[in-house]
Amino acid sequence: QDKIENIFYDSEEIKRNIQLNFIFNLPFLKNFNNKDYSISESLEFLINSNFSEKKSNFFDGNENSELFIYKESINNLFISLSTIIPKADLKFLSITSSIFGEGKTLIISIIAKIFSDNGYKVLLIDADLRKPSIHKSFSIDNKTGLTNLLLDSNLDPKKYTYEVNNYLSIITSGPIKNNPLNSLESQKVANLFKNLKESNNYDLVIFDMPPILGISDYKQICKYCDHLLFLISIGYCKRYFALNALKQLKESKFNLTGIITNSINPKYSTEDNNPNFQFYMNLDS
């Protein structure tokens, strides 16, 4: 059945078929999206736990060795990205994918979390005005946000910013309009980037973008970004979707930094995507 669906099976296959800088693969972890906890709460537990004691019910059904691998993968993601995005002048980073449902919000939440934990002043902006989800990831309301900011004549981000802590701030999408593309009017977006750069309040501004196929919203943000990451979900996204989306990105001549992969299908789990899996599993035996 999978052969008929023509999906990617692992990150090595993507490296062979797509001639772009491959940055990182995040392995599969079951029960990450526990309905009783937000993504940020689960990440907080995962990153700060040493797994020496019995797990809480954040990740019921996962062995400590699986959680350890995932934690190490997150640390390695920071190492990989921080070489590309050093802590210097303000950098703008956007992340997109081919289609909805590829785990983009999880990846973005992780990147925002690990960079802020490592001393970067991070602003995370939900620019997915089709299916916004950053407010859910961090358990904050979405009454005001980016759509309000872009209508504000002063374009003052502080009025619409939620401070998670001293290093991480968030601007949610705000109320969704009937035609989201109208909210991303070119001059308003250009002025927003100018204001953010001149304010010098952040080391890294991250934009969560809608997927590429069938939607043109991403162009309004990506053209101003220093780095664009493209996410491919292993075992989920059709091969021709990813290739078509990448073709559009290349034609747009954006600063396409590289590819991140995310294993969201349990059939393509940690064992398939991490050569050290058996080594770590043996730590528990």
Side-chain angles (χ1 to χ4, degrees), residues 112-129:
K113 169 71 175 164
I114 57 176
F115 270 85
S116 60
D117 281 357
N118 281 277
Y120 285 65
K121 291 278 287 184
V122 176
L123 175 62
L124 173 58
I125 300 178
D126 195 342
D128 186 343
L129 304 186

Side-chain angles (χ1 to χ4, degrees), residues 91-255:
K91 296 298 180 186
F92 296 104
L93 168 70
S94 56
I95 304 175
T96 187
S97 59
S98 305
I99 56 175
F100 287 108
E102 295 201 64
K104 184 164 47 65
T105 299
L106 171 59
I107 295 288
I108 286 170
S109 300
I110 290 174
I111 292 173
K113 169 71 175 164
I114 57 176
F115 270 85
S116 60
D117 281 357
N118 281 277
Y120 285 65
K121 291 278 287 184
V122 176
L123 175 62
L124 173 58
I125 300 178
D126 195 342
D128 186 343
L129 304 186
R130 306 282 174 167
K131 289 187 177 181
S133 52
I134 293 297
H135 61 289
K136 297 176 184 176
S137 297
F138 288 86
S139 297
I140 54 182
D141 70 55
N142 194 26
K143 293 177 182 177
T144 61
L146 180 61
T147 53
N148 304 95
L149 171 59
L150 292 173
L151 290 173
D152 190 325
S153 57
N154 294 320
L155 272 175
D156 181 9
K158 287 185 178 179
K159 290 171 57 178
Y160 307 99
T161 299
Y162 176 83
E163 307 288 342
V164 177
N165 53 46
N166 289 335
Y167 290 94
L168 178 58
S169 304
I170 293 173
I171 296 177
T172 64
S173 69
I176 304 306
K177 312 296 182 182
N178 290 333
N179 187 349
L181 189 56
N182 287 344
S183 297
L184 298 173
E185 190 270 320
S186 183
Q187 191 55 53
K188 293 176 183 176
V189 172
N191 290 339
L192 173 61
F193 274 84
K194 182 174 180 287
N195 285 12
L196 287 169
K197 189 175 285 286
E198 289 176 351
S199 72
N200 201 31
N201 291 327
Y202 305 100
D203 301 305
L204 180 62
V205 178
I206 306 172
F207 290 89
D208 183 4
M209 299 303 304
I212 292 171
L213 297 182
I215 302 172
S216 59
D217 304 19
Y218 70 95
K219 295 180 180 179
Q220 299 296 86
I221 299 289
C222 292
K223 63 184 177 183
Y224 297 106
C225 288
D226 305 292
H227 299 281
L228 169 61
L229 299 179
F230 182 69
L231 174 67
I232 300 176
S233 55
I234 293 172
Y236 178 79
C237 180
K238 299 289 196 309
R239 197 181 295 245
Y240 56 86
F241 285 162
L243 295 176
N244 188 4
L246 280 169
K247 181 173 180 287
Q248 292 187 38
L249 286 179
K250 289 178 181 177
E251 289 173 349
S252 299
K253 297 186 175 7
F254 297 136
N255 297 317

